Amino acid sequence: MVEKVIVKGKAKGKILKSQIPINFLGAVDKKTGIIRDDKHDLFQKSIKNTILVFPYGVGSSVGAYTIYSLKSNNSAPYAMICKKTDLTVASGCALANIPLVIVTQKEYDSIKNGQEISLDTESKTL
Amino acid sequence: MELTKEEESALKGEKGEVLELAYRILVATGEAINADRLVPIHWAHLSGVNYNTIGDAGEEFLSKLSKDAKVQVKTTVNPMGFDIDKVSDYKLDDDFIKKQQSISESYKKMGVVPSFSCIPYEIFDLPQKNTQVSFAESNAAIYANSIAHLKTNKESAFSALASALTGKSPYADLRKEDSASPNLTIQMKVKNSNELTYGLLGYFAGKIAGSSVRISGTNDLDKRSCKALCGGMGTSGQCGKFVLDDNDDNQSEKVDFDNKEMQNILDELNTTDSGDLVVLGSPQLGLEEISDLALMLKGRSFKKRCMIFCPRAIQQQTSELGYANTLKRAGCEMLFDCCTCLTPLIDKDNTDGVITNSIKGSYYLKNSNDVKVNLKPLSQIIDDETKW
């Protein structure tokens, strides 16, 4: 169940799920979408064309530009699903028009890595 | 979030593309932090100036935006990627210089104060207590809320930009005079603390705290430790405020920060035991720290290269007061308008390892510049890396 819609839209794709918050500025390559923080559980994975599921964004406020750059470089996720909100991810997704929703802890736990899903913020369904 | 009629109309695009974009960002961020309305702000501080951080997409976005956009309140900006007076000393490619200058011009065109500093709280007069501001730059937002008695969300680059263009920001918990009491207390248990331990404490706190945190057991923090705490906290988390309070009489959850926790974080960020370049200034060093450093370096000189990052605003004073000379004699390169984070001036191909006391610097040097880092407090850096 979608608890809150931050940025509206529809998306369909494969889930890439992380248990660790993401510092977009330090941890994500803005050209390729590859995670380059070796302490992160998505290290060396690409977030491009996925439905990215992660707890929330942390760290640098410039991470919002990273999200915008990913979109401009065609390396952005189709949508993002978080369990907590933060200003960096919210504003980056708003400018880049990447759908962003917040889900309950129970829903978050039930989402499986690799699963194909469609997201529609109008009907608030996954 | 409730909008006024005028705000609704701007959101619909009836007042032009710039305001439509700004309100779209404000509404999304307002939803994200459970704001019920927008309030006026009196000072915006923007991040997203260094070409290395925002890239071509950011450069193009700002260039387009600046054709029509003007800031509505006092607006200051973060460091950029180089010091224009020192460009010839570094092998920067022409493309970087061109793009960096374009970004800088776009901001100036929009009417910002070209401060290029991540420590606005040190180089500008602070407005009166409880003034609403919008600070991107995580260390500055945390400093504003925790030390400078100002009120800001932990803004993002875009939410602060939207605030600059509208003079407004979402009114959420950190902006309220009776903002919620932190539900977590971190008890500082590390003895003989210095700015490095406070940076590590900040990084630890940022990882586990929500939007605010109480910290107990700290001694009086000097400016260096205070900035290190803000910088470390801003790097790892989404926490926007700390309260220093030794009174245990509260219901919050208590967590110890002891030697073991500190070592865990050092193991994560300290990636080498030595280095060939000393880097100071993340956050940038202000006049107080430069004065302190000049005193520590009197009669000494570095055995290795040493780069020091500062705001341009203090350049003249550092010369007039003789600090610049002392630092130069000690072998330091002072760089203005730029800082350690994602600097193009430090290159992994020419650097075996960076020695620094900055937790914030170490995170970005490691992850963004791919450079190894040796963390030590300033006193030890001076002992180990300088000679009489």
Side-chain angles (χ1 to χ4, degrees), chain A residues 16-33:
Chain A
L16 180 67
K17 187 176 178 182
S18 164
Q19 297 299 340
I20 302 179
I22 299 178
N23 182 338
F24 275 86
L25 177 63
V28 185
D29 185 297
K30 60 180 176 284
K31 290 211 170 98
T32 61

Side-chain angles (χ1 to χ4, degrees), chain A residues 4 30 59 61 85 87 91 94, chain B residues 24 31-32 34 47 154 156 237:
Chain A
K4 202 170 182 183
K30 60 180 176 284
S61 60
T85 51
L87 275 166
S91 64
Chain B
R24 183 146 57 90
E31 285 297 328
N34 292 321
S47 61
K154 189 172 179 283
S156 81

